[in-house]
Amino acid sequence: MKTVIIVFAKSPLLAKVKSRLAMDVGKKASLWIYKKLLYHTSKVTLKSKLKTVLFENKVSSILKTIFKHVNEFQIQKGEDLGSKMENAFGWAFSKRYEKVILIGSDL
């Protein structure tokens, strides 16, 4: 049975991630927290031993460094989160994955 984990991630850039959190802790702290969450998500997906595909909001060398075990990267396509997720599931099923797990990078 072919299973894939899809991770949705944003490039970790100052003032571009965790904006609501930044209102309380500041932009630098929210970026630090987001990076910690990215590393945690990377470790969890590596431990799972399942194929992982990272869906980036844009091409990011930083994400490729954090998710070293991932060898397939896609760009999120769609106007909003719902359509981006729908497109990611469509991509996975078109590749004949039978089970698809989609998570955000900050879970």
Side-chain angles (χ1 to χ4, degrees):
M1 178 134 339
K2 283 180 60 174
T3 302
V4 66
I5 298 175
I6 293 174
V7 177
F8 266 37
K10 289 183 178 180
S11 187
L13 300 172
L14 187 66
K16 299 292 183 187
V17 295
K18 309 309 292 172
S19 56
R20 286 182 298 219
L21 180 62
M23 290 186 276
D24 292 328
V25 300
K27 293 175 185 174
K28 287 183 181 179
S30 66
L31 176 60
W32 180 85
I33 291 166
Y34 186 67
K35 284 182 179 179
K36 290 291 185 186
L37 291 166
L38 286 171
Y39 279 103
H40 177 73
T41 303
S42 177
K43 286 179 190 175
V44 169
T45 56
L46 175 62
K47 270 183 154 178
S48 78
K49 299 188 191 280
L50 294 172
K51 165 115 180 183
T52 301
V53 178
L54 190 81
F55 273 71
E56 310 167 272
N57 67 325
K58 62 181 179 177
V59 175
S60 170
S61 60
I62 299 168
L63 289 174
K64 286 174 179 56
T65 300
I66 295 170
F67 287 86
K68 293 176 184 163
H69 68 288
V70 172
N71 59 17
E72 188 162 355
F73 296 83
Q74 297 289 325
I75 298 295
Q76 298 171 16
K77 295 177 183 163
E79 295 298 314
D80 55 35
L81 182 58
S83 63
K84 290 175 182 181
M85 291 171 65
E86 180 179 10
N87 289 330
F89 275 109
W91 171 88
F93 291 126
S94 76
K95 298 291 183 181
R96 301 202 184 265
Y97 288 103
E98 296 172 13
K99 293 185 179 180
V100 181
I101 302 163
L102 191 149
I103 62 172
S105 56
D106 56 355
L107 296 176

